[in-house]
Amino acid sequence: MLNKITPDILQLFKQAINEDRLVSDPAVLADYAHDETEDLHYSPDLIALPETAEEVAALLKICHEHSIPVTPRGAGTGLSGGSLAIYGGLMIAMQRMNKIIAIDERNLQATVEPGVVTEELINLAATKDLLYPVDPASKGSCFIGGNISHGSGGPRVVKYGTIREYVLNLQVALPTGELIWTGANTLKYASGYNLTQLFIGSEGTLGIICKAVLKLIPKPKQDLLLFASFASNEEACEAVGAIFRKGIIPSAVEFMERKGVEWVISYDQVQFNLLPEMEAFLLIELDGNNLDELMLQCEEVNQVLEEKNCLDVLLADTANQKETLWRLRRTMPVSVKANSIYKEEDTVVPRATLPTLIRGIKAIGTRYGFESICYGHAGDGNLHVNIIKGEMTEHDWHHKLKEGIKEIFDLTIELGGTISGEHGIGLVQKEYMPLKYSALHLDLMRGIKKVFDPKGILNPGKIF
Amino acid sequence: MLNKITPDILQLFKQAINEDRLVSDPAVLADYAHDETEDLHYSPDLIALPETAEEVAALLKICHEHSIPVTPRGAGTGLSGGSLAIYGGLMIAMQRMNKIIAIDERNLQATVEPGVVTEELINLAATKDLLYPVDPASKGSCFIGGNISHGSGGPRVVKYGTIREYVLNLQVALPTGELIWTGANTLKYASGYNLTQLFIGSEGTLGIICKAVLKLIPKPKQDLLLFASFASNEEACEAVGAIFRKGIIPSAVEFMERKGVEWVISYDQVQFNLLPEMEAFLLIELDGNNLDELMLQCEEVNQVLEEKNCLDVLLADTANQKETLWRLRRTMPVSVKANSIYKEEDTVVPRATLPTLIRGIKAIGTRYGFESICYGHAGDGNLHVNIIKGEMTEHDWHHKLKEGIKEIFDLTIELGGTISGEHGIGLVQKEYMPLKYSALHLDLMRGIKKVFDPKGILNPGKIF
């Protein structure tokens, strides 16, 4: 049973945190009632803006004692409704805990607060010739705490591994009000259950991240960017596997459908000569320290692309050209958003089954009467499926479509994949969890939740 | 309360698995009573040799119903006593589940049973120009199931990441007798709590791994091997960090103390010209697809080594020379074992603090009257500390030494590290867990254990 915030409890909050960082102004509450997921709105009753881990812990202790629902919030850029206060209560917004505490150049580690904007860390690390390779599309606004909580990815996962490889240690405030460090500041760790890894991707349901120690790596000195056009989605996807079989691991292999590129061109006025026969595109980045070596790799990639019937390959010559090509991919989510009501699914499958997945999605769309725009991290088999409302009736959109999404997920799972690769389950995917997991499996997850949060106060109603 | 195997329960086992794969011959039991950890002996009462996941699950179901302790066992190469049947009962030995089920060249994945010897997978993958980069020193005899259970590493972690990056999905038999797949066969996964990651490093206490889907990568076509000698441990360790700061990520950076090399030379008759002033050594491997590029990297590494007062650098010219240099490092554990009674600790710290750790260990040794031989994965900050019994009395060895080990771990933790990097906690490190973890933290781990294994039958007495 979760409770409402009474005046007495509000008094307790005021003892835990300075009053001016407790916000109940309805305009502000409305701002924090949504994230980037569809058109969902759930207002918290109160927002706290802590500045220290101890304040977060103190707030949680009060909420635990009085069974007040708590929703942690990063930058609100989530795509699964993970930061929506669906039971009202207290929202703990992490934006003031936004310090890069240290960049340790001797150990190649960074210690950050959760409210650091991802790109700020990337940029600061770059000034020291270091790379933090986790770069979600929203890197200019999303927070590192949210990235960790959602297991967020980005283009470079394909070469550098997921965020799991870069989070070494976390300070978390538990739902019961204690602070712990989950692991150690080390590259290896075999000392009991790995709570660091358990927290990554747990979507703020097990604790609130207050600090993170992250691994950095030497920043590659050079990169090349190729943009390849194909006559079909299948040929583009086939080329992806072939590049890896050639022994090359690009630092990004992004896939885009024609329609997505068209929408970006009209939304963002990107200059790109889109020929009628071009149906699918790959953006391929190669990085390393030696430009000659990269040019050799580039030739090999070109050979593979030719073998796979590539129509045309652009090699970006200047920083400007690179920026334009990346914009084609990075602006795609907002272009879709600006163009239509849509729902985004975050399918992921073994890389080589991508053509089957895309064909299946299109066939399901035909049966259920929806169009989709697909793009994503082809090197990881991670395809973002944007389902466009278009001409669908409200009834079909809200009811019939669910069956179509179920079919997409059934296909994803049948191919060895899962229902989210990097966006998380949050609120909007949780009804699909039983497609992937048995009741027993879900009970194990619920059991873990209960160990950390016996009263179920933290981010209630998410994941399961 | 755990029970003994009664004749009735034995009958149930015989219904679950063919009788000739239930072994109670005392000579065999004695063989399975130890692993590679010190001189510990604990005999199981019965050994089962299942051939399928379903058999493992059926055995566990019986043990769960009748509260029989179960100890899973891989190849018995563990260094923390994780596979010792300290409460007797049933040992489930995985050696017959030893098939490489598939190498999927299109998706760069392998599906294996847990009893596959690690090197067999490495070798088979290599014939297809693929790399499985997890190569513990015992790779010629250890099992992949054990590697996953212990979070085992090896030299290449420094470039390719830990085993966590290579385990995509696991089929596990739960202590309650059900089979589940923990995840999906995908490179990314953000679909609820990541049970795959939770099982990695859980030392067979949450379930028994029956199949694993592993990530493979393109095999680099070339490698170079350098062997650098230094006048002090400190200078060798300083050089490690400097190589990374130069922007180079070697595929191995192994550290060895002089005494370890001396013991290898006398144990294994390795030809190596050990000059009097050489006190510490680094074995540095560079890999990639392009030999010219590697030679350039090699020059840069040489420059760094010179700046760090390296006495001498050997560049291995032939496959034979490479083999010899690797033998110096790989034979070190058995050379130590052959030379003296010893205890091995598996400390890990942030890379740049290694010199402080080594200095501290030597000082602690002086105070407690023990000698130590240190070697390990310097690139990861992972130092194997072999404490030599030498002249220590039995009493000091069994009692006073514990205080010395505590001091080593206290120092490790103070430096931001932890008490095991890749060997696990098992039986012999568990008394040191409270040095690293608060009671609350240990309770969270115990809580998770209870979710999976409510009766505590599986690998009881390990970790905590």
Side-chain angles (χ1 to χ4, degrees), chain B residues 224-230 235-236 238-240 242-244 246-250 253 282-286 292-317:
Chain B
L224 290 178
L225 193 64
L226 298 163
F227 193 84
S229 313
F230 295 83
E235 282 165 314
E238 289 291 338
V240 175
I243 292 169
F244 287 88
K246 199 85 179 181
I248 293 167
I249 309 181
V253 190
L282 292 179
L283 186 64
I284 303 165
E285 189 189 73
L286 302 165
D292 295 340
E293 153 72 1
L294 286 187
M295 288 306 295
L296 288 175
Q297 277 186 32
C298 187
E299 276 169 37
E300 289 191 88
V301 170
N302 259 318
Q303 236 176 55
V304 172
L305 294 174
E306 239 172 69
E307 285 162 22
K308 295 294 169 186
N309 304 320
C310 175
L311 299 172
D312 183 57
V313 187
L314 282 176
L315 171 61
D317 273 331

Side-chain angles (χ1 to χ4, degrees), chain A residues 105 107 189 191 245 352 437, chain B residues 105 107 189 191 193 245 352 437:
Chain A
E105 293 190 59
N107 287 303
Y189 188 85
S191 310
R245 290 308 283 131
Y437 300 109
Chain B
E105 294 189 58
N107 287 304
Y189 188 85
S191 309
Y193 302 154
R245 289 307 285 131
Y437 300 111

Side-chain angles (χ1 to χ4, degrees), chain A residues 316-437:
Chain A
D317 274 329
T318 62
N320 241 344
Q321 277 185 11
K322 285 179 191 171
E323 179 51 32
T324 303
L325 292 178
W326 268 116
R327 246 168 73 199
L328 279 173
R329 169 62 185 87
R330 288 233 165 86
T331 317
M332 206 158 283
V334 284
S335 305
V336 170
K337 193 166 189 152
N339 211 308
S340 170
I341 293 176
Y342 76 108
K343 272 186 206 289
E344 182 168 355
E345 308 304 337
D346 175 37
T347 59
V348 61
V349 292
R351 188 192 289 144
T353 64
L354 261 187
T356 316
L357 178 66
I358 295 181
R359 256 195 320 273
I361 289 167
K362 299 299 174 187
I364 293 164
T366 305
R367 278 209 305 288
Y368 284 86
F370 63 79
E371 212 185 346
S372 62
I373 293 185
C374 297
Y375 57 83
H377 314 297
D380 308 316
N382 186 195
L383 192 73
H384 300 316
V385 183
N386 288 263
I387 299 171
I388 306 303
K389 183 160 182 286
E391 308 291 300
M392 268 187 132
T393 64
E394 286 298 313
H395 180 268
D396 283 0
W397 181 249
H398 290 292
H399 302 283
K400 191 176 155 196
L401 179 58
K402 283 191 182 181
E403 293 306 309
I405 294 174
K406 263 192 199 164
E407 286 201 30
I408 291 176
F409 285 147
D410 278 336
L411 174 61
T412 305
I413 293 163
E414 197 187 304
L415 294 171
T418 185
I419 64 178
S420 177
E422 56 175 20
H423 293 173
I425 300 303
L427 179 63
V428 298
Q429 312 303 350
K430 75 173 175 169
E431 65 180 301
Y432 304 108
M433 286 284 274
L435 299 176
K436 169 71 187 152
Y437 300 109

Side-chain angles (χ1 to χ4, degrees), chain B residues 227 229 256 260-275 278 281 283 312 314 316 318 320-329 331 335:
Chain B
F227 193 84
S229 313
M256 286 160 276
V261 173
E262 281 173 355
W263 284 14
V264 171
I265 289 172
S266 72
Y267 171 82
D268 200 27
Q269 278 88 49
V270 181
Q271 293 301 317
F272 183 73
N273 187 18
L274 192 62
L275 302 178
M278 294 174 172
F281 307 88
L283 186 64
D312 183 57
L314 282 176
T318 64
N320 242 344
Q321 279 186 9
K322 284 180 192 171
E323 179 51 33
T324 303
L325 292 178
W326 268 115
R327 246 168 73 201
L328 279 175
R329 168 64 185 86
T331 317
S335 307

Side-chain angles (χ1 to χ4, degrees), chain A residues 56 60 72 149 171-176 178 199 202-210 449 452-453 458-459, chain B residues 193:
Chain A
V56 177
L60 283 168
S149 295
Q171 185 191 42
V172 293
L174 298 172
T176 41
E178 301 90 355
F199 270 92
S202 67
E203 306 191 19
T205 64
L206 299 179
I208 299 182
I209 296 168
C210 294
K449 164 75 174 168
F452 287 81
D453 184 14
L458 191 58
N459 215 0
Chain B
Y193 302 154

Side-chain angles (χ1 to χ4, degrees), chain A residues 2-18:
Chain A
L2 297 174
N3 296 323
K4 285 269 165 204
I5 301 173
T6 60
D8 284 354
I9 292 168
L10 183 61
Q11 274 314 111
L12 294 174
F13 289 153
K14 287 179 184 170
Q15 288 161 24
I17 181 173
N18 199 310

